[in-house]
């Protein structure tokens, strides 16, 4: 009697775990093929149930006539339940891995030098931590999130990018992107550790709408957002917009990427908006910005050229900010490690007190291990003359960077 009770408990538990459900034909008759499928399903369910009963009997010694306590039987049933749940979790993890990719970047930098004021400086800092998540649950929708931390600012972890893209340019050329992003004004490509001066006056992070296209190497978009500037004051509205157009050509041993971009309010760039806020110029007339770039790669040699400029004066003060970057790099093998040596010349205009007038940089980077790079950079800055609002002095900085990308 006790054994029958054990088996009743056992069968009840296993039926619940296997999802065993009797299947019957409808009263008015079922299709022969459907009936065959129902019989097959019933046979398979019975087979799984018998296998689990045998497994449990073997585990608790039922076959050998060993006494089995209710507690032992419950424990074994629980073990089988846990195994089922683990299988489900593994299936979910596999599904997530199929649709979501994870990436990251860690950069630690050490620097030493003499600034424009003539003071000696040195520092070690966690320059960058990035964690990126890209998800594509179907062929026409994707999501992107980038979490950023940079030491030296307000030491906060920020959502740097977060946007949704509707479209699949492999099947249809148009796409729509909505969310927090860096709008496509400027390119800002570089081999250096330091950001190029073009980025300092052109990079614009906003929550925006972007309608774009990509087809046979041609690419472009139109974007709109509500920025920090507000011409004439009044209501806060979506009044800032821009567009970009480019072409990418690639073949073995050679590539060329050229593009042009426009924004109607260059004062909304991250660098210039801070400057305009200090000068109480956020409600001044909008000043458009223009950016052009060309990036070429010929074998191991790369060439980068970019020019960013305002198209008018800010508030009629004869200030028309401009920045450029010209750079060349050479990739080679050093002691069996892929390495790149690069030289850059950069400059600005009408940005005294904010950026140097010119900058010369050299950088050597070496992939010391897979996904692990060590780079060293030397930068020489020349400030504006005193009659232009500068100091007429120079600054020199040496920076070492250890980066790990995954």
């Amino acid at each position: 009697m006790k054994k029958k009770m054990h088996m009743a408990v056992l069968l009840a538990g296993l039926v619940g775990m296997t999802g065993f459900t009797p299947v019957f034909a409808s009263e008015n008759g079922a299709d022969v093929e459907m009936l065959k499928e129902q019989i097959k399903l019933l046979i398979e369910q019975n087979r799984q149930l018998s296998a689990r009963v045998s497994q449990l009997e073997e585990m608790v010694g039922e076959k050998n006539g060993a006494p089995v306590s209710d507690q032992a039987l419950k424990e074994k049933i629980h073990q089988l339940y846990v195994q089922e749940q683990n299988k489900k979790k593994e299936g979910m993890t596999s599904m997530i891995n199929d649709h979501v990719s994870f990436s990251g970047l860690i950069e630690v930098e050490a620097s030493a030098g003499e600034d424009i004021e003539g003071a000696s400086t040195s520092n070690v800092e966690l320059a960058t931590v990035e964690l990126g998540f890209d998800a594509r649950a179907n062929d026409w929708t994707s999501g992107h999130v980038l979490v950023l931390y940079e030491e030296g600012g307000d030491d906060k972890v920020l959502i740097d990018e977060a946007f949704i893209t509707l479209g699949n340019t492999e099947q249809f050329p148009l796409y729509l992107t909505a969310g927090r992003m860096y709008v496509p004004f400027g390119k800002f490509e570089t081999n250096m550790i330091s950001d190029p001066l073009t980025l300092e006056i052109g990079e614009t992070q906003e929550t925006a709408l972007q309608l774009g296209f990509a087809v046979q190497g041609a690419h472009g978009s139109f974007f709109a957002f509500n920025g920090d500037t507000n011409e004439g004051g009044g209501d806060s509205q979506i009044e800032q917009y821009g567009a970009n157009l480019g072409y990418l050509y690639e073949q073995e041993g050679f590539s060329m990427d050229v593009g042009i971009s426009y924004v109607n309010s260059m004062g909304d760039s991250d660098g210039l908006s801070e400057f305009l806020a200090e000068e109480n110029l956020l409600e001044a007339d909008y000043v458009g910005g223009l950016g052009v770039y060309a990036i070429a790669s010929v074998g191991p040699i790369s060439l980068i050229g970019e020019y960013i400029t305002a198209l008018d004066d800010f508030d009629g003060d004869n200030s028309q900010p401009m920045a450029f970057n010209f750079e060349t790099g050479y990739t080679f093998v050093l002691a069996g490690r892929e390495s790149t040596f690069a030289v850059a010349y950069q400059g600005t205009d009408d940005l005294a007190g904010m950026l140097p007038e010119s900058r010369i940089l050299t950088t050597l980077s070496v992939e010391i291990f897979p996904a692990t790079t060590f780079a060293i950079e030397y930068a020489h800055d020349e400030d504006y003359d005193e009659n232009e609002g500068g100091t007429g002095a120079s600054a020199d900085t040496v920076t070492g960077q250890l980066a790990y990308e995954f």
Side-chain angles (χ1 to χ4, degrees):
M1 182 67 179
K2 187 173 184 181
K3 183 174 181 178
K4 290 182 179 179
M5 291 179 63
H6 288 166
M7 294 306 297
V9 173
L10 170 64
L11 290 173
L14 289 176
V15 165
M17 288 186 287
T18 59
F20 173 76
T21 304
V23 184
F24 301 97
S26 61
E27 291 182 0
N28 58 356
D31 183 86
V32 173
E33 293 300 323
M34 181 180 295
L35 184 58
K36 289 181 179 180
E37 291 299 322
Q38 291 174 333
I39 293 173
K40 287 180 182 179
L41 178 60
L42 185 59
I43 292 174
E44 176 61 20
Q45 290 176 333
N46 286 334
R47 186 194 65 78
Q48 294 179 5
L49 182 59
S50 297
R52 296 188 181 226
V53 170
S54 298
Q55 180 185 8
L56 186 58
E57 287 177 340
E58 183 177 353
M59 292 175 66
V60 300
E62 186 74 29
K63 288 182 177 180
N64 297 325
V68 181
S69 67
D70 289 340
Q71 183 61 33
L73 189 58
K74 291 179 181 178
E75 290 177 359
K76 296 307 178 182
I77 293 176
H78 178 71
Q79 289 177 11
L80 289 179
Y81 173 78
V82 171
Q83 290 175 8
E84 287 296 316
Q85 295 304 309
N86 289 338
K87 288 180 181 178
K88 291 180 180 178
K89 289 179 181 179
E90 289 174 2
M92 292 179 63
T93 301
S94 176
M95 183 176 65
I96 291 173
N97 290 337
D98 289 342
H99 299 296
V100 180
S101 61
F102 170 71
S103 62
L105 173 66
I106 303 172
E107 294 177 337
V108 179
E109 295 179 1
S111 61
E114 185 177 283
D115 63 19
I116 292 293
E117 304 297 330
S120 296
T121 61
S122 62
N123 195 22
V124 177
E125 63 181 9
L126 180 60
T128 306
V129 176
E130 290 182 351
L131 298 176
F133 304 86
D134 290 275
R136 181 178 286 277
N138 59 72
D139 291 339
W140 294 93
T141 308
S142 63
H144 169 76
V145 176
L146 182 67
V147 180
L148 174 67
Y149 170 81
E150 293 179 316
E151 188 175 348
D154 52 14
D155 282 346
K156 291 183 178 180
V157 177
L158 303 173
I159 300 297
D160 195 49
E161 297 175 338
F163 52 79
I164 299 169
T165 298
L166 303 179
N168 184 340
T169 54
E170 294 182 357
Q171 300 185 40
F172 186 73
L174 297 180
Y175 66 88
L176 173 68
T177 300
R180 185 174 178 82
M181 69 184 78
Y182 290 92
V183 300
F185 175 65
K187 187 70 172 181
F188 317 128
E189 199 77 24
T190 185
N191 290 304
M192 304 296 158
I193 295 175
S194 303
D195 292 331
L197 297 179
T198 50
L199 179 147
E200 299 290 351
I201 71 165
E203 183 179 67
T204 306
Q205 183 191 52
E206 296 288 347
T207 298
L209 295 174
Q210 178 186 359
L211 179 64
F213 76 93
V215 56
Q216 296 182 348
H219 53 89
S221 68
F222 173 83
F223 55 88
F225 59 92
N226 184 348
D228 296 324
T229 60
N230 186 10
E231 185 176 78
D235 296 335
S236 177
Q237 297 180 337
I238 299 175
E239 297 180 338
Q240 291 80 3
Y241 58 85
N244 73 300
L245 185 65
Y247 182 75
L248 173 63
Y249 174 78
E250 293 180 305
Q251 68 175 32
E252 186 175 355
F254 174 77
S255 68
M256 171 69 77
D257 185 12
V258 296
I260 183 170
S261 56
Y262 167 81
V263 66
N264 76 317
S265 178
M266 188 172 166
D268 278 287
S269 72
D270 297 343
L272 290 180
S273 61
E274 293 183 7
F275 173 77
L276 294 180
E278 293 175 357
E279 300 295 323
N280 296 316
L281 293 176
L282 288 178
E283 295 184 358
D285 292 344
Y286 293 147
V287 175
L290 178 70
V292 293
Y293 73 88
I295 303 171
S297 175
V298 184
I301 300 173
S302 63
L303 300 169
I304 299 172
E306 184 167 30
Y307 178 78
I308 299 285
T309 185
L311 296 175
D312 202 352
D313 299 336
F314 277 92
D315 201 34
D317 63 354
N318 296 318
S319 175
Q320 192 169 331
M322 175 276 295
F324 65 83
N325 176 36
F326 297 112
E327 189 173 319
T328 182
Y330 178 71
T331 300
F332 59 100
V333 177
L334 177 64
R337 310 292 184 182
E338 183 175 305
S339 307
T340 299
F341 177 75
V343 178
Y345 177 64
Q346 304 174 4
T348 68
D349 194 19
D350 289 335
L351 288 166
M354 178 178 171
L355 294 171
E357 185 174 27
S358 66
R359 174 176 288 173
I360 297 173
L361 304 103
T362 60
T363 296
L364 174 65
S365 62
V366 181
E367 187 180 43
I368 55 177
F369 299 108
T372 308
T373 303
F374 175 75
I376 187 166
E377 173 191 270
Y378 167 72
H380 174 77
D381 291 351
E382 290 287 343
D383 198 13
Y384 288 83
D385 292 335
E386 293 184 9
N387 60 1
E388 296 177 305
T391 63
S394 62
D396 297 278
T397 306
V398 176
T399 304
Q401 181 192 80
L402 183 63
Y404 178 62
E405 189 170 3
F406 55 93

